């Protein structure tokens, strides 16, 4: 993968963030998502690559754009796997809540796990705790290991967990250890990535969320030198049968970084839509808007935070996709 692609992918997540940010707090998560998808799709077409969506908006019959198997880019080499979530946290944008991002990961073809739309049990940490966590160990053992790697007490850890009934047990266990917990209503990609960014205030993300989101977070953690482990959690027979066909051996296989993102190069880009622990949200001004993006490449380990000012009048494409309902 050419390094020049890095900036191209920044443009893609910026466009999705700019388009969906217009919908913040307006109570319409479908419109917010639709705006992000259209914008992302439009900018992808301007990039020299032969991309195939492996994680996207759903199957061909469920999504008109960015569906699994859709080709993106102008068709020239390199051949790439593309994982996208144009709006990660639709409810967050609809309600103006914190932590919504536009996100993508692109890898050499054949590298990304084609995670189906089902749940995955996950644990994500930064480079300091790499090799020290185990999805099958107790919450207490994992928290102690992460605290030790950060040279701090478990009482000073911040654990992020989706606020769901299914997490009652792990929340109670984390509380029994005395860890600080941040319960979030949605959007577990951002805190999983934040766990590997020093100074973000997040030390570990754990719990059951989306499997596609797990692959996106794993791609970021690969760039950051962190670690994610996951395990698919099929909710019914159909999902179980679908996981059987994924070529991961057994459905309950412990998925490692290599299973999730492979061993080739990966580029990850995420732009904040609403403010979060990782990224600032879109701020509109009189002539355009400012965006905040994290972009990274696994091969070199370069981590960039890109603050951009967009002048809509000078960017016809952005202006076109950003008009929304005006
Ligand atoms: C998960 C999580 C996402 O939606 O997919 C969640 O990974 C859905 O979980 O980040 P529930 O079925 O419990 O609502 C997000 O929070 C947002 O897309």
């Amino acid at each position: 993968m050419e390094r020049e692609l890095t900036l191209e992918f920044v443009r893609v997540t910026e466009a999705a963030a700019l388009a969906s940010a217009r919908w913040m707090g307006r109570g319409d998560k479908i419109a917010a998502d639709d705006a992000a998808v259209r914008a992302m799709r439009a900018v992808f077409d301007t990039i020299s690559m032969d991309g195939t969506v492996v994680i996207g908006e759903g199957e061909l019959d469920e999504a008109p754009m960015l569906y699994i198997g859709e080709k993106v880019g102008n068709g020239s080499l390199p051949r790439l796997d593309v994982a996208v979530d144009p709006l990660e946290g639709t409810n967050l944008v609809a309600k103006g809540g914190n932590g919504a991002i536009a996100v993508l990961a692109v890898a050499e073809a054949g590298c990304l796990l084609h995670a189906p739309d089902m749940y995955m049990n996950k644990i994500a940490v930064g480079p300091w705790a790499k090799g020290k966590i185990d999805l099958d160990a107790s919450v207490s053992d994992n928290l102690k290991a992460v605290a030790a790697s950060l040279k701090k007490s478990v009482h000073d850890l911040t654990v992020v967990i989706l606020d769901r009934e299914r997490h009652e047990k792990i929340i109670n266990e984390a509380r029994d250890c005395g860890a600080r917990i941040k319960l979030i209503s949605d959007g577990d990609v951002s805190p999983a990535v934040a766990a590997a960014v020093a100074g973000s205030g997040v030390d570990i993300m754990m719990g059951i969320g989306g499997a596609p989101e797990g692959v996106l977070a794993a791609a970021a953690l690969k760039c950051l030198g962190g670690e994610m482990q996951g395990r698919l959690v099929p909710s019914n027979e159909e999902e179980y049968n679908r996981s059987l066909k994924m070529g991961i051996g057994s459905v309950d296989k412990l998925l490692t970084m290599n299973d999730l993102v492979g061993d080739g190069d990966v580029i990850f880009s995420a732009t904040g839509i609403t403010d979060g622990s990782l990224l600032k949200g879109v701020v509109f001004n009189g002539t355009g808007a400012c965006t905040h993006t994290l972009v990274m490449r696994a091969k070199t380990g370069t981590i960039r935070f890109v603050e951009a000012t967009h002048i809509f009048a000078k960017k016809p494409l952005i202006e076109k996709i950003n008009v929304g309902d005006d």
Side-chain angles (χ1 to χ4, degrees), residues 116-119 231-253:
D117 188 11
M118 65 175 69
Y119 285 132
R231 176 172 286 121
L232 293 174
V233 185
S235 308
N236 52 43
E237 205 180 325
E238 191 237 314
E239 288 188 0
Y240 183 86
N241 290 335
R242 203 155 10 126
S243 349
L244 269 183
K245 292 187 196 132
M246 281 177 57
I248 53 167
S250 82
V251 172
D252 61 1
K253 178 180 166 41

Side-chain angles (χ1 to χ4, degrees), residues 85 87-92 117-120 122 162-167 184-191 205 208-214:
D85 198 345
L87 171 42
E88 150 68 351
T90 49
N91 289 323
L92 298 173
D117 188 11
M118 65 175 69
Y119 285 132
M120 179 185 277
K122 323 171 206 181
L162 274 170
D163 192 4
R164 299 290 190 275
E165 262 178 34
R166 61 179 179 266
H167 292 149
I184 53 166
S185 65
D186 264 305
D188 65 1
V189 175
S190 177
M205 192 289 293
I208 297 173
E213 286 85 346

Side-chain angles (χ1 to χ4, degrees), residues 294-306:
L294 168 62
V295 65
M296 315 182 275
R297 185 167 172 237
K299 191 170 174 182
T300 52
T302 310
I303 300 163
R304 292 185 172 91
F305 282 93
V306 181

Side-chain angles (χ1 to χ4, degrees), residues 17-41:
L18 283 164
S20 63
R22 275 271 167 86
W23 291 94
M24 190 184 86
R26 295 174 64 182
D28 191 343
K29 64 178 187 178
I30 293 171
D33 194 46
D34 187 58
V37 170
R38 285 172 190 280
M40 189 174 258
R41 184 69 183 75

Side-chain angles (χ1 to χ4, degrees), residues 37-323:
V37 170
R38 285 172 190 280
M40 189 174 258
R41 184 69 183 75
V43 181
F44 262 130
D45 277 347
T46 67
I47 302 178
S48 294
M49 64 181 223
D50 174 5
T52 305
V53 175
V54 300
I55 286 181
E57 290 295 289
E59 302 295 333
L60 173 59
D61 56 353
E62 299 163 348
M65 269 184 242
L66 299 177
Y67 53 84
I68 293 159
E70 189 182 12
K71 288 284 189 185
V72 288
N74 70 359
S76 60
L77 290 176
R79 281 182 50 238
L80 301 171
D81 276 357
V82 176
V84 296
D85 198 345
L87 171 42
E88 150 68 351
T90 49
N91 289 323
L92 298 173
V93 172
K95 294 181 183 172
N98 277 1
I101 55 173
V103 57
L104 66 75
V106 176
E108 289 164 18
C111 282
L112 297 180
L113 182 75
H114 297 197
D117 188 11
M118 65 175 69
Y119 285 132
M120 179 185 277
N121 192 13
K122 323 171 206 181
I123 181 167
V125 293
W128 34 85
K130 186 178 175 174
K132 295 178 183 151
I133 49 158
D134 180 358
L135 190 65
D136 292 327
S138 66
V139 170
S140 148
D141 283 350
N142 279 316
L143 295 187
K144 282 183 198 150
V146 176
S149 73
L150 285 160
K151 299 190 174 50
K152 62 185 186 184
S153 147
V154 171
H155 294 89
D156 296 334
L157 276 187
T158 304
V159 188
V160 175
I161 304 175
L162 274 170
D163 192 4
R164 299 290 190 275
E165 262 178 34
R166 61 179 179 266
H167 292 149
E168 195 184 337
K169 188 162 174 280
I170 60 168
I171 292 168
N172 286 338
E173 282 175 33
R175 283 183 178 151
D176 288 345
C177 298
R180 287 149 37 91
I181 306 172
K182 198 168 172 187
L183 292 171
I184 53 166
S185 65
D186 264 305
D188 65 1
V189 175
S190 177
V193 180
V197 175
S200 69
V202 177
D203 298 314
I204 175 167
M205 192 289 293
M206 59 203 306
I208 297 173
E213 286 85 346
V215 173
L216 283 162
L221 289 165
K222 178 168 178 175
C223 300
L224 288 158
E227 181 178 4
M228 168 172 279
Q229 292 177 6
R231 176 172 286 121
L232 293 174
V233 185
S235 308
N236 52 43
E237 205 180 325
E238 191 237 314
E239 288 188 0
Y240 183 86
N241 290 335
R242 203 155 10 126
S243 349
L244 269 183
K245 292 187 196 132
M246 281 177 57
I248 53 167
S250 82
V251 172
D252 61 1
K253 178 180 166 41
L254 179 72
L255 300 168
T256 62
M257 290 294 284
N258 215 32
D259 299 315
L260 294 162
V261 283
D263 57 4
D265 197 9
V266 178
I267 295 175
F268 173 92
S269 177
T271 302
I273 301 174
T274 57
D275 284 344
S277 46
L278 187 62
L279 293 160
K280 285 185 254 178
V282 175
V283 177
F284 290 96
N285 53 45
T287 51
C290 296
T291 53
H292 193 206
T293 300
L294 168 62
V295 65
M296 315 182 275
R297 185 167 172 237
K299 191 170 174 182
T300 52
T302 310
I303 300 163
R304 292 185 172 91
F305 282 93
V306 181
E307 285 199 330
T309 303
H310 308 267
I311 301 172
F312 293 152
K314 293 191 178 182
K315 291 189 177 176
L317 181 60
I318 297 281
E319 188 180 34
K320 200 166 135 230
I321 58 190
N322 196 38
V323 173

